[in-house]
mmCIF file of all heavy atoms in Angstrom:
data_model
loop_
_atom_site.group_PDB
_atom_site.id
_atom_site.type_symbol
_atom_site.label_atom_id
_atom_site.label_comp_id
_atom_site.label_asym_id
_atom_site.label_seq_id
_atom_site.Cartn_x
_atom_site.Cartn_y
_atom_site.Cartn_z
ATOM 1 N N PHE A 14 -11.300 -5.177 2.368
ATOM 2 C CA PHE A 14 -12.069 -6.050 1.486
ATOM 3 C C PHE A 14 -11.269 -7.272 1.033
ATOM 4 O O PHE A 14 -10.103 -7.158 0.657
ATOM 5 C CB PHE A 14 -12.556 -5.272 0.256
ATOM 6 C CG PHE A 14 -13.301 -6.131 -0.726
ATOM 7 C CD1 PHE A 14 -14.551 -6.641 -0.408
ATOM 8 C CD2 PHE A 14 -12.754 -6.457 -1.956
ATOM 9 C CE1 PHE A 14 -15.246 -7.448 -1.303
ATOM 10 C CE2 PHE A 14 -13.433 -7.258 -2.854
ATOM 11 C CZ PHE A 14 -14.685 -7.755 -2.520
ATOM 12 N N LEU A 16 -12.334 -10.632 -1.378
ATOM 13 C CA LEU A 16 -13.399 -11.293 -2.141
ATOM 14 C C LEU A 16 -13.635 -12.724 -1.672
ATOM 15 O O LEU A 16 -14.763 -13.153 -1.480
ATOM 16 C CB LEU A 16 -13.069 -11.248 -3.633
ATOM 17 C CG LEU A 16 -14.097 -11.894 -4.579
ATOM 18 C CD1 LEU A 16 -15.470 -11.242 -4.441
ATOM 19 C CD2 LEU A 16 -13.610 -11.811 -6.019
ATOM 20 N N ILE A 20 -17.103 -14.343 -0.152
ATOM 21 C CA ILE A 20 -17.788 -15.506 -0.724
ATOM 22 C C ILE A 20 -18.074 -16.533 0.367
ATOM 23 O O ILE A 20 -19.186 -17.041 0.488
ATOM 24 C CB ILE A 20 -16.934 -16.151 -1.838
ATOM 25 C CG1 ILE A 20 -16.849 -15.210 -3.044
ATOM 26 C CG2 ILE A 20 -17.505 -17.505 -2.256
ATOM 27 C CD1 ILE A 20 -15.772 -15.596 -4.050
ATOM 28 N N ALA A 58 -8.403 -1.323 -7.152
ATOM 29 C CA ALA A 58 -7.865 -2.667 -7.010
ATOM 30 C C ALA A 58 -8.843 -3.637 -7.633
ATOM 31 O O ALA A 58 -10.051 -3.393 -7.670
ATOM 32 C CB ALA A 58 -7.653 -3.006 -5.542
ATOM 33 N N SER A 59 -8.313 -4.737 -8.129
ATOM 34 C CA SER A 59 -9.193 -5.778 -8.628
ATOM 35 C C SER A 59 -8.747 -7.091 -8.008
ATOM 36 O O SER A 59 -7.577 -7.259 -7.667
ATOM 37 C CB SER A 59 -9.161 -5.850 -10.149
ATOM 38 O OG SER A 59 -7.861 -6.139 -10.577
ATOM 39 N N SER A 60 -9.685 -7.975 -7.826
ATOM 40 C CA SER A 60 -9.354 -9.286 -7.295
ATOM 41 C C SER A 60 -10.262 -10.314 -7.949
ATOM 42 O O SER A 60 -11.338 -9.983 -8.450
ATOM 43 C CB SER A 60 -9.503 -9.323 -5.775
ATOM 44 O OG SER A 60 -10.790 -8.940 -5.382
ATOM 45 N N THR A 61 -9.809 -11.541 -7.976
ATOM 46 C CA THR A 61 -10.607 -12.622 -8.541
ATOM 47 C C THR A 61 -10.652 -13.768 -7.545
ATOM 48 O O THR A 61 -9.767 -13.904 -6.700
ATOM 49 C CB THR A 61 -9.999 -13.134 -9.862
ATOM 50 O OG1 THR A 61 -8.650 -13.509 -9.619
ATOM 51 C CG2 THR A 61 -10.046 -12.074 -10.943
ATOM 52 N N ALA A 62 -11.678 -14.558 -7.649
ATOM 53 C CA ALA A 62 -11.810 -15.754 -6.818
ATOM 54 C C ALA A 62 -12.650 -16.752 -7.589
ATOM 55 O O ALA A 62 -13.422 -16.382 -8.475
ATOM 56 C CB ALA A 62 -12.471 -15.421 -5.482
ATOM 57 N N GLY A 63 -12.479 -18.008 -7.272
ATOM 58 C CA GLY A 63 -13.250 -19.032 -7.966
ATOM 59 C C GLY A 63 -13.515 -20.217 -7.065
ATOM 60 O O GLY A 63 -12.868 -20.382 -6.030
ATOM 61 N N LEU A 83 -24.487 -12.832 -2.251
ATOM 62 C CA LEU A 83 -23.207 -12.129 -2.207
ATOM 63 C C LEU A 83 -23.427 -10.623 -2.160
ATOM 64 O O LEU A 83 -22.742 -9.907 -1.427
ATOM 65 C CB LEU A 83 -22.349 -12.506 -3.422
ATOM 66 C CG LEU A 83 -20.939 -11.902 -3.460
ATOM 67 C CD1 LEU A 83 -20.114 -12.335 -2.249
ATOM 68 C CD2 LEU A 83 -20.228 -12.285 -4.745
ATOM 69 N N ASN A 107 -25.781 -11.553 -13.278
ATOM 70 C CA ASN A 107 -24.546 -12.033 -12.667
ATOM 71 C C ASN A 107 -23.575 -10.886 -12.368
ATOM 72 O O ASN A 107 -22.376 -11.084 -12.266
ATOM 73 C CB ASN A 107 -23.861 -13.067 -13.572
ATOM 74 C CG ASN A 107 -23.425 -12.463 -14.893
ATOM 75 O OD1 ASN A 107 -23.915 -11.420 -15.304
ATOM 76 N ND2 ASN A 107 -22.499 -13.115 -15.556
ATOM 77 N N GLU A 108 -24.105 -9.676 -12.238
ATOM 78 C CA GLU A 108 -23.248 -8.534 -11.935
ATOM 79 C C GLU A 108 -24.006 -7.526 -11.086
ATOM 80 O O GLU A 108 -25.207 -7.335 -11.256
ATOM 81 C CB GLU A 108 -22.794 -7.870 -13.238
ATOM 82 C CG GLU A 108 -21.842 -6.711 -13.011
ATOM 83 C CD GLU A 108 -21.344 -6.101 -14.317
ATOM 84 O OE1 GLU A 108 -20.793 -6.854 -15.143
ATOM 85 O OE2 GLU A 108 -21.544 -4.897 -14.499
ATOM 86 N N PHE A 109 -23.297 -6.898 -10.154
ATOM 87 C CA PHE A 109 -23.910 -5.829 -9.363
ATOM 88 C C PHE A 109 -22.831 -4.843 -8.933
ATOM 89 O O PHE A 109 -21.642 -5.124 -9.009
ATOM 90 C CB PHE A 109 -24.649 -6.387 -8.136
ATOM 91 C CG PHE A 109 -23.754 -7.077 -7.132
ATOM 92 C CD1 PHE A 109 -23.140 -6.369 -6.102
ATOM 93 C CD2 PHE A 109 -23.531 -8.446 -7.217
ATOM 94 C CE1 PHE A 109 -22.316 -7.003 -5.185
ATOM 95 C CE2 PHE A 109 -22.722 -9.093 -6.293
ATOM 96 C CZ PHE A 109 -22.107 -8.365 -5.272
ATOM 97 N N ILE A 122 -17.826 -0.463 -5.809
ATOM 98 C CA ILE A 122 -17.383 -1.839 -5.991
ATOM 99 C C ILE A 122 -18.290 -2.489 -7.015
ATOM 100 O O ILE A 122 -19.516 -2.346 -6.947
ATOM 101 C CB ILE A 122 -17.374 -2.645 -4.668
ATOM 102 C CG1 ILE A 122 -16.925 -4.090 -4.957
ATOM 103 C CG2 ILE A 122 -18.726 -2.597 -3.946
ATOM 104 C CD1 ILE A 122 -16.570 -4.903 -3.742
ATOM 105 N N THR A 123 -17.693 -3.141 -7.991
ATOM 106 C CA THR A 123 -18.440 -3.867 -9.014
ATOM 107 C C THR A 123 -17.990 -5.320 -8.963
ATOM 108 O O THR A 123 -16.789 -5.595 -8.945
ATOM 109 C CB THR A 123 -18.138 -3.311 -10.418
ATOM 110 O OG1 THR A 123 -18.371 -1.905 -10.411
ATOM 111 C CG2 THR A 123 -19.025 -3.967 -11.474
ATOM 112 N N ILE A 124 -18.943 -6.228 -8.917
ATOM 113 C CA ILE A 124 -18.626 -7.653 -8.893
ATOM 114 C C ILE A 124 -19.387 -8.350 -10.010
ATOM 115 O O ILE A 124 -20.582 -8.124 -10.192
ATOM 116 C CB ILE A 124 -18.977 -8.283 -7.534
ATOM 117 C CG1 ILE A 124 -18.088 -7.658 -6.450
ATOM 118 C CG2 ILE A 124 -18.824 -9.802 -7.567
ATOM 119 C CD1 ILE A 124 -18.216 -8.257 -5.082
ATOM 120 N N SER A 125 -18.678 -9.180 -10.772
ATOM 121 C CA SER A 125 -19.334 -9.949 -11.824
ATOM 122 C C SER A 125 -18.854 -11.389 -11.767
ATOM 123 O O SER A 125 -17.718 -11.659 -11.372
ATOM 124 C CB SER A 125 -19.047 -9.335 -13.192
ATOM 125 O OG SER A 125 -17.659 -9.294 -13.418
ATOM 126 N N GLY A 126 -19.726 -12.290 -12.158
ATOM 127 C CA GLY A 126 -19.408 -13.711 -12.101
ATOM 128 C C GLY A 126 -19.674 -14.400 -13.418
ATOM 129 O O GLY A 126 -20.454 -13.923 -14.237
ATOM 130 N N SER A 127 -18.994 -15.531 -13.626
ATOM 131 C CA SER A 127 -19.283 -16.335 -14.808
ATOM 132 C C SER A 127 -18.946 -17.792 -14.540
ATOM 133 O O SER A 127 -17.986 -18.103 -13.832
ATOM 134 C CB SER A 127 -18.496 -15.827 -16.017
ATOM 135 O OG SER A 127 -17.121 -15.956 -15.767
ATOM 136 N N TYR A 133 -16.853 -21.726 -11.141
ATOM 137 C CA TYR A 133 -17.457 -20.396 -11.180
ATOM 138 C C TYR A 133 -16.395 -19.394 -10.766
ATOM 139 O O TYR A 133 -15.700 -19.599 -9.776
ATOM 140 C CB TYR A 133 -18.654 -20.321 -10.230
ATOM 141 C CG TYR A 133 -19.523 -19.118 -10.484
ATOM 142 C CD1 TYR A 133 -20.475 -19.127 -11.489
ATOM 143 C CD2 TYR A 133 -19.376 -17.956 -9.732
ATOM 144 C CE1 TYR A 133 -21.269 -18.017 -11.742
ATOM 145 C CE2 TYR A 133 -20.159 -16.843 -9.976
ATOM 146 C CZ TYR A 133 -21.106 -16.884 -10.983
ATOM 147 O OH TYR A 133 -21.891 -15.772 -11.234
ATOM 148 N N SER A 134 -16.226 -18.346 -11.550
ATOM 149 C CA SER A 134 -15.231 -17.346 -11.186
ATOM 150 C C SER A 134 -15.887 -15.986 -11.008
ATOM 151 O O SER A 134 -16.873 -15.658 -11.671
ATOM 152 C CB SER A 134 -14.125 -17.285 -12.230
ATOM 153 O OG SER A 134 -14.664 -17.011 -13.496
ATOM 154 N N LEU A 135 -15.323 -15.233 -10.103
ATOM 155 C CA LEU A 135 -15.823 -13.904 -9.786
ATOM 156 C C LEU A 135 -14.698 -12.903 -9.916
ATOM 157 O O LEU A 135 -13.542 -13.211 -9.622
ATOM 158 C CB LEU A 135 -16.336 -13.858 -8.340
ATOM 159 C CG LEU A 135 -17.694 -14.491 -8.118
ATOM 160 C CD1 LEU A 135 -17.866 -14.832 -6.662
ATOM 161 C CD2 LEU A 135 -18.802 -13.559 -8.562
ATOM 162 N N LYS A 136 -15.078 -11.714 -10.320
ATOM 163 C CA LYS A 136 -14.106 -10.627 -10.394
ATOM 164 C C LYS A 136 -14.687 -9.432 -9.658
ATOM 165 O O LYS A 136 -15.867 -9.094 -9.846
ATOM 166 C CB LYS A 136 -13.839 -10.269 -11.859
ATOM 167 C CG LYS A 136 -12.822 -9.165 -11.983
ATOM 168 C CD LYS A 136 -12.389 -8.980 -13.424
ATOM 169 C CE LYS A 136 -11.424 -7.883 -13.426
ATOM 170 N NZ LYS A 136 -10.514 -7.421 -14.080
ATOM 171 N N ALA A 137 -13.869 -8.817 -8.817
ATOM 172 C CA ALA A 137 -14.298 -7.618 -8.099
ATOM 173 C C ALA A 137 -13.372 -6.469 -8.464
ATOM 174 O O ALA A 137 -12.159 -6.644 -8.536
ATOM 175 C CB ALA A 137 -14.249 -7.858 -6.598
ATOM 176 N N ASN A 138 -13.956 -5.309 -8.704
ATOM 177 C CA ASN A 138 -13.184 -4.084 -8.909
ATOM 178 C C ASN A 138 -13.649 -3.068 -7.881
ATOM 179 O O ASN A 138 -14.856 -2.856 -7.725
ATOM 180 C CB ASN A 138 -13.428 -3.499 -10.307
ATOM 181 C CG ASN A 138 -12.678 -4.270 -11.366
ATOM 182 O OD1 ASN A 138 -11.498 -4.555 -11.227
ATOM 183 N ND2 ASN A 138 -13.383 -4.621 -12.420
ATOM 184 N N VAL A 139 -12.702 -2.457 -7.203
ATOM 185 C CA VAL A 139 -13.021 -1.396 -6.255
ATOM 186 C C VAL A 139 -12.274 -0.149 -6.712
ATOM 187 O O VAL A 139 -11.069 -0.207 -6.958
ATOM 188 C CB VAL A 139 -12.584 -1.757 -4.810
ATOM 189 C CG1 VAL A 139 -13.087 -0.710 -3.828
ATOM 190 C CG2 VAL A 139 -13.102 -3.132 -4.399
#
Side-chain angles (χ1 to χ4, degrees):
F14 177 69
L16 180 59
I20 292 166
S59 60
S60 56
T61 55
L83 184 60
N107 64 340
E108 183 177 305
F109 64 89
I122 179 167
T123 306
I124 295 185
S125 58
S127 63
Y133 195 82
S134 57
L135 283 160
K136 181 170 179 158
N138 283 312
V139 187

